[in-house]
Amino acid sequence: MYLNFPCLLRALAPRTRTLGHETWHEDIGILGSPSENSLTYYVSREVERNPQDLHPVLGEFERLIETNPRIYMLLQSMLQEAQEYRLDIEQNVEIHDCHKLLRVLNHIITHAPPWTDDHPGVPVLVLLKSSMPTVSGYAFFQDPEVNKLIKKTLSAWADFLSSPESACVLNTSTAGWFSTRALWRLTDTANIGGDGFEFEELYICNPDAPHYGFKSWDDFFTRKFREGIRPVAFPDDDSVIVNPCESQPFAVARQVKARDSFWIKGKTYSLSDMLGDTFVARFLDGTVYQGKIVKSYVLDGTYSSTPEALNVNPPNKGPGNEIPYQGYLAAMATRAVILIEAENSEIGLMAFLAIGMAEISTCEISVCEGDYLKKGDELGMFHYGGSSHCLIFQKGVNVTGFPEVGGEKNIPVRGQLAIVTPMEMDGFQVV
């Protein structure tokens, strides 16, 4: 059964003005095409130059920090530890106190994310990247009160990113999502197997309309492929599992336990923590690869939590957005769970997890219990940020042929992912 959660990352000219040797894009509040280091720096400078009242939800966050000594202590300690972490890897950081952090965050949630070569669309991840691996950051981002307000903050940003104002970054400036560099990256990622399609040939859009016809940044983020670009692999063969998301293979785990040390590298998946208490026994000793709808639900989780502070995984100091602890997020992040009973008895009951990883990462489910689906139907989508997913098969399902883990190319959505065949014992086929 195929599950389509699209997780993809020449409009009006932006207003600009010159600041020394740099260009300030007034519509998006960013200088030039910012890198990881400059993004926080330039937003921080704009906050100082043009202070704004805090969004009401960040005002609530500020009151929590000021009235709760434990939260204040963890946050200030986190920022201090982040300073030491950044200095260790020779990077500069501009955020020294909680009030500055809130004001930079205030700027982010009232603007659409600009295009950047290193971290497109994830300014919150850039802002918190050095704080997340710290010991105090681990405690801070695990706190229920903090997570409640982070969720409200990201929901406020989600509202803005669904508004027409958020389309201002859908332009051809160097920080726009239709710049030459951005279009090359977007089409290079989407053109799998050497195809040479242009952006407008890949996606439903109108290059002659303002913002390519997209009504908001989220409308652009959840854009749809044109018919025929992502055909369903072997649509009439139920033994072929197709890829639920446009994604790179991360891990394959077999004989998965009900509970395991998911925060330790090498012991990746813990069914009870991934699924809640639902149907766990049905998947014991089964297979995880990071019909009819039996059940679907959303599990709230943590935001910006990482196991790196536990010193069981080395800090991720490399460039780019790759998150090395996705198994941890399968148990800890907000995730949508969909349980499917396949008509193919060799598959039976299987589970799909849509996992929000970075930024808002809302997991929207558009199907209901009892719905009957055919291979290739869309079940929902990710909104606003980075994402991952897992497929979980029961013990005894002989699922093989997964792509090699660690490959750099995306496996296309609806493309062949694996094959299910009858189990064999002592030379006899089990039927």
Side-chain angles (χ1 to χ4, degrees):
M1 180 58 61
Y2 160 72
L3 305 163
N4 180 18
F5 274 72
C7 48
L8 307 173
L9 293 164
R10 225 153 10 220
L12 299 174
R15 294 174 292 142
T16 63
R17 54 191 168 96
T18 300
L19 295 175
H21 298 292
E22 300 165 316
T23 301
W24 181 262
H25 298 271
E26 293 183 342
D27 289 332
I28 59 177
I30 287 293
L31 279 159
S33 180
S35 67
E36 175 190 352
N37 293 333
S38 65
L39 180 60
T40 302
Y41 170 76
Y42 288 132
V43 171
S44 177
R45 195 170 74 174
E46 173 62 8
V47 166
E48 293 174 353
R49 178 170 36 232
N50 186 26
Q52 302 290 326
D53 291 337
L54 288 180
H55 188 284
V57 70
L58 290 178
E60 185 179 351
F61 212 150
E62 187 174 50
R63 288 190 292 275
L64 172 67
I65 295 167
E66 291 176 342
T67 58
N68 188 315
R70 175 177 52 84
I71 298 297
Y72 176 76
M73 175 191 69
L74 288 174
L75 181 52
Q76 286 298 124
S77 297
M78 176 186 78
L79 294 175
Q80 179 59 43
E81 291 164 21
Q83 287 276 6
E84 296 168 1
Y85 174 81
R86 298 280 290 204
L87 291 174
D88 181 55
I89 56 176
E90 297 180 348
Q91 291 181 322
N92 189 27
V93 64
E94 295 296 317
I95 310 301
H96 303 284
D97 63 78
C98 59
H99 299 291
K100 183 66 172 291
L101 177 67
L102 289 175
R103 275 149 183 76
V104 171
L105 192 57
N106 188 66
H107 181 95
I108 290 174
I109 70 168
T110 54
H111 292 78
W115 167 265
T116 69
D117 288 340
D118 293 334
H119 293 76
V122 288
V124 175
L125 178 63
V126 173
L127 177 64
L128 301 177
K129 190 175 182 180
S130 298
S131 301
M132 290 160 54
T134 65
V135 173
S136 295
Y138 182 79
F140 180 77
F141 290 119
Q142 290 279 345
D143 188 276
E145 290 183 275
V146 170
N147 273 287
K148 179 181 178 181
L149 279 171
I150 292 178
K151 182 177 181 179
K152 291 178 70 173
T153 300
L154 296 179
S155 294
W157 193 24
D159 290 340
F160 177 80
L161 294 179
S162 297
S163 70
E165 291 80 8
S166 68
C168 64
V169 295
L170 305 179
N171 58 57
T172 58
S173 72
T174 54
W177 286 81
F178 298 131
S179 65
T180 301
R181 178 69 178 173
L183 285 177
W184 179 84
R185 283 277 298 275
L186 293 170
T187 55
D188 181 64
T189 300
N191 277 310
I192 297 174
D195 296 330
F197 294 112
E198 299 294 334
F199 183 89
E200 59 270 23
E201 296 173 319
L202 289 164
Y203 302 105
I204 298 173
C205 63
N206 180 6
D208 296 324
H211 316 300
Y212 271 51
F214 295 110
K215 298 175 182 178
S216 66
W217 192 85
D218 183 55
D219 189 31
F220 163 74
F221 185 84
T222 57
R223 61 195 178 275
K224 294 184 179 295
F225 284 110
R226 291 195 182 275
E227 187 68 29
I229 293 296
R230 291 294 187 266
V232 179
F234 302 97
D236 300 320
D237 187 347
D238 286 342
S239 68
V240 175
I241 305 295
V242 295
N243 199 25
C245 304
E246 199 89 355
S247 56
Q248 296 176 5
F250 177 76
V252 177
R254 301 188 186 273
Q255 298 182 312
V256 187
K257 298 178 182 179
R259 298 302 295 269
D260 208 342
S261 302
F262 58 85
W263 56 92
I264 298 178
K265 186 177 182 180
K267 295 184 178 179
T268 315
Y269 297 104
S270 177
L271 288 172
S272 294
D273 300 291
M274 296 168 71
L275 300 174
D277 294 327
T278 305
F279 291 92
V280 169
R282 299 280 297 272
F283 295 102
L284 287 180
D285 295 319
T287 298
V288 173
Y289 174 86
Q290 201 167 359
K292 181 176 70 174
I293 300 299
V294 174
K295 193 172 185 64
S296 62
Y297 50 96
V298 174
L299 295 173
D300 283 337
T302 61
Y303 298 86
S304 303
S305 176
T306 165
E308 292 180 336
L310 302 180
N311 293 322
V312 293
N313 288 322
N316 178 26
K317 299 181 181 180
N321 292 337
E322 183 177 350
I323 296 177
Y325 45 88
Q326 293 182 35
Y328 172 86
L329 295 176
M332 293 297 291
T334 298
R335 56 213 179 274
V337 182
I338 300 178
L339 294 155
I340 302 166
E341 187 73 48
E343 287 186 338
N344 184 346
S345 61
E346 300 296 339
I347 301 173
L349 183 70
M350 63 172 294
F352 170 78
L353 268 70
I355 306 162
M357 292 200 311
E359 308 308 278
I360 302 170
S361 302
T362 300
C363 304
E364 176 188 343
I365 298 175
S366 57
V367 294
C368 301
E369 184 174 337
D371 286 354
Y372 186 86
L373 304 164
K374 65 180 184 297
K375 196 174 183 178
D377 286 349
E378 180 178 296
L379 300 188
M381 63 186 67
F382 292 110
H383 291 268
Y384 316 111
S387 49
S388 184
H389 68 92
C390 291
L391 296 178
I392 307 176
F393 300 89
Q394 297 180 88
K395 180 182 180 180
V397 176
N398 188 31
V399 56
T400 60
F402 288 112
E404 182 180 356
V405 172
E408 295 183 356
K409 282 292 185 180
N410 278 349
I411 308 301
V413 65
R414 296 180 171 179
Q416 179 175 326
L417 181 68
I419 297 176
V420 173
T421 56
M423 293 289 289
E424 292 187 2
M425 295 180 62
D426 298 327
F428 293 94
Q429 194 174 79
V430 178
V431 295

